[in-house]
Amino acid sequence: MTPTITAFEQSPDRGRGLARDMRVRWALEEAGQPYAVRLVSFSEMKKPAHLALHPFGQIPTYEEGGLALFESGAIVFHIAERHPGLLPDAANGRARAITWMFAALNTVEPPILDRGIAMILEHDKPWFEARLPVLDERVRVRLGELSRRLGAADWLDDAFSAGDLLMVTVLRRLSGSTLLDEYPNLVGYVARGEARPAYQRAFADQLAVFTAGDASRGRNG
Ligand code: GTB
């Protein structure tokens, strides 16, 4: 059965692939799994039909037969468990790859998210100038630790896994700042992820949504 995911009808990232449907699209492409996309507006996300799928009224969601999932990490894990290519077969390697999935979402993403939210919602507050260096430093701490662990390796634990997929999407959220540039091996790591054919297909598909929306907005307005 072809799964259906949800994505922004009009993503605020303007097609830069920073919204969290990108990681689900990428996982599905790595798995060679065809999928359908239902686009939702901000107001639709808060209506009962979508809230029945996602208690917090967000994207992405994932529907497959009688199964409905939310949370991008859980969705990527579901895909990775059911298709080859995203988790190693050997039990210990699999456990380590899953550990990196959690590390990406629970340890590396929060400071990056805090900084991103402050940049959008707090930049006009009187204390923003004093707070930004604190937020930057928290991000630097995590990037430094991650950079040391990655070293000269291509991926976090041997072969590419769902842990790398999530970590690359998390690090991409720093695009627009120069923080990542301070860690050349992480820049290379993100570039390796972005160079994967599955990533490129996923990126092109989400960009096409933005481009089509932009064209129709241009026609209508
Ligand atoms: N923990 C959840 C998950 O991983 O699935 C978080 C889901 C989430 O935050 N979804 C966001 C959403 O639906 C979209 S991705 N927001 C609408 C709402 O909460 O009402 C977050 C996002 C939004 C915009 C950008 N951007 O513009 O760059 C990047 C990421």
Side-chain angles (χ1 to χ4, degrees), residues 145-156 184-186 192:
E145 291 160 343
L146 186 66
S147 169
R148 274 192 292 283
R149 172 53 77 100
L150 180 67
D154 279 353
W155 306 114
L156 289 166
N185 67 336
L186 296 184
R192 266 189 299 284

Side-chain angles (χ1 to χ4, degrees), residues 3-7 21 24-25 28 35-38 60-63:
T4 298
I5 67 167
T6 50
D21 59 298
V24 174
R25 290 174 184 269
L28 286 162
Y35 62 100
V37 182
R38 189 170 65 252
T61 58
Y62 176 100
E63 293 157 81

Side-chain angles (χ1 to χ4, degrees), residues 8 11-14 16-21 23-24 40 42 45-46 50 54 56-61 70-75 105 109 113 120 173:
F8 281 132
S11 181
D13 75 355
R14 302 182 58 81
R16 287 184 298 150
L18 300 176
R20 287 185 179 86
D21 59 298
R23 40 184 80 158
V24 174
V40 287
F42 275 94
M45 274 185 244
K46 309 302 173 195
H50 190 76
H54 196 309
F56 310 116
Q58 296 180 317
I59 60 100
T61 58
F70 58 97
E71 284 297 330
S72 58
I75 298 170
L105 302 182
E109 189 164 48
L113 205 55
I120 296 167
R173 295 204 58 170

Side-chain angles (χ1 to χ4, degrees), residues 166-183:
L166 290 177
M167 193 66 83
V168 167
T169 60
V170 164
L171 297 179
R172 285 194 75 251
R173 295 204 58 170
L174 287 168
S175 60
S177 98
T178 55
L179 283 170
L180 198 65
D181 300 338
E182 296 171 26
Y183 307 88

